């Protein structure tokens, strides 16, 4: 009897060890941690940090209840509403982002309104794994100093589910079109957004605030370590390089991305020497 008990104990121990080995990337500590804030700060030549964009998230248990965004020009705090366990609306004062669903579990469209007037509508497409492949914004009211009436973002993933490419097509009020493309390379460790529960809502809210320029960042599985952005010709081929950035990520012992420096080279067609820019992004979590 004693020998049988020892064998059972050894079998269970080996089984548990195998399970943890197979899920080494999905550290059990990470799985219980919720992203609570992201901050993007410009690093001045003096070393001083200047805030450019901050997002914060609050939860009840593990359910997202609010998300806020503060930029250098605007601040908004959205309260999140649910029906039948699906997020349907986020409200910040007179600003409302309402989501609609088709046959799937992810929202298929969204409307951004202000004071009851429609500002933008969003159409959302996904692949069979629930990853967003396209989001198209049709603007009914243009933001100040903007000539873009439509933005269409298309996302491409590799066989492992990493978002490798983002294309954006801007349609201007005069009917002309401008296209850009960004390609990414990745670390082997997870993105802070990998387990964020309401990615579609975050994408729509961020785009409604007219600050976000690369919504693909929310759909990364692994953390990017570099990106290159190009202008595209009228035939969809790459022309000049717009930006080349590298990231220096810092993780904690549980593989959570805590902060990273982004070193960017920004190119302009009329200027032979690129402009250098350094930003620091930080991430905070609440772990249960």
């Amino acid at each position: 009897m004693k020998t049988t008990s020892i064998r059972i104990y050894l079998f269970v121990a080996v089984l548990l060890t195998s399970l943890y080995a197979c899920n080494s990337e999905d550290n059990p500590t990470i799985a219980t941690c919720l992203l609570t804030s992201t901050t993007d700060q410009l690093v001045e030549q003096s070393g001083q940090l200047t805030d450019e964009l901050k997002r914060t998230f609050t939860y009840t248990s593990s359910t997202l209840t609010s998300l806020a965004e503060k930029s250098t020009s605007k601040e908004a705090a959205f309260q999140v509403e649910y029906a039948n366990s699906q997020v349907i609306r986020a409200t910040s004062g007179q600003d409302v982002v309402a989501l609609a669903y088709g046959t799937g579990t992810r929202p298929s469209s969204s409307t951004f309104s202000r004071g009851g007037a429609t500002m933008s509508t969003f159409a959302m497409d996904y692949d069979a794994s629930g990853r967003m492949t396209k989001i198209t914004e049709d603007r009914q009211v243009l933001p100040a100093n903007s000539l873009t009436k439509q933005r269409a973002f298309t996302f491409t993933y590799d066989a492992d589910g990493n978002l490798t490419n983002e294309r954006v097509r801007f349609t201007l009020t005069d009917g002309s079109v401008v296209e850009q493309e960004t390609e990414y390379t990745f670390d082997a460790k997870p993105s802070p957004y990998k387990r964020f529960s309401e990615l579609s809502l975050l994408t729509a809210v961020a785009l409604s605030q007219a600050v976000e320029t690369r919504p693909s960042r929310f759909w990364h599985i692994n953390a990017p370590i570099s990106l290159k952005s190009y202008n595209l010709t009228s035939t969809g081929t790459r022309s000049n390089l717009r930006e080349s950035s590298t990231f220096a990520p810092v993780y904690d012992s549980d593989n959570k991305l805590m902060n990273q420096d982004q070193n960017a080279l920004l190119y302009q067609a009329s200027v032979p020497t690129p402009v250098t820019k350094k930003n620091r992004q930080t991430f905070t979590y609440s772990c249960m």
Side-chain angles (χ1 to χ4, degrees), residues 34-37 55-68 78-80 82 196-197 286:
L34 301 171
L35 181 66
T36 54
S37 75
R55 293 189 174 103
T56 56
F57 313 101
T58 60
Y59 305 84
T60 297
S61 297
S62 59
T63 300
L64 180 71
T65 53
S66 72
L67 63 163
F78 287 85
Q79 302 301 311
V80 183
Y82 295 83
F196 193 86
S197 59
S286 175

Side-chain angles (χ1 to χ4, degrees), residues 6 23 57 67 79 90-91 118 161 170 176 183 192 207 224 235 271 273 275:
I6 292 174
N23 293 280
F57 313 101
L67 63 163
Q79 302 301 311
T91 304
T118 299
F170 303 98
S176 60
E183 65 177 11
L207 288 175
T235 59
V271 181
T273 304
V275 175

Side-chain angles (χ1 to χ4, degrees), residues 3 9 36 44 51 95 142 152 186 210 249 272 276:
T3 301
Y9 174 81
T36 54
E44 307 279 2
D51 289 344
D95 288 1
L142 271 59
F186 300 91
T276 61

Side-chain angles (χ1 to χ4, degrees), residues 22-47:
C22 291
N23 293 280
S24 58
E25 191 277 324
D26 288 325
N27 187 299
T29 302
I30 298 177
T32 60
C33 292
L34 301 171
L35 181 66
T36 54
S37 75
T38 68
T39 302
D40 197 346
Q41 296 174 297
L42 175 66
V43 182
E44 307 279 2
Q45 288 187 346
S46 64

Side-chain angles (χ1 to χ4, degrees), residues 210-261:
V211 175
E212 185 59 53
T213 57
R214 289 197 180 108
S216 56
R217 75 184 72 204
F218 307 131
W219 296 86
H220 290 308
I221 292 179
N222 288 350
I225 55 173
S226 71
L227 68 82
K228 288 187 177 181
S229 181
Y230 302 86
N231 288 319
L232 301 181
T233 67
S234 58
T235 59
T237 59
R238 291 175 179 175
S239 58
N240 59 300
L241 182 65
R242 301 180 62 249
E243 177 184 342
S244 178
S245 282
T246 58
F247 300 86
V250 176
Y251 302 90
D252 69 3
S253 59
D254 295 319
N255 286 339
K256 297 193 299 296
L257 178 60
M258 305 306 294
N259 62 78
Q260 62 184 6
D261 284 347

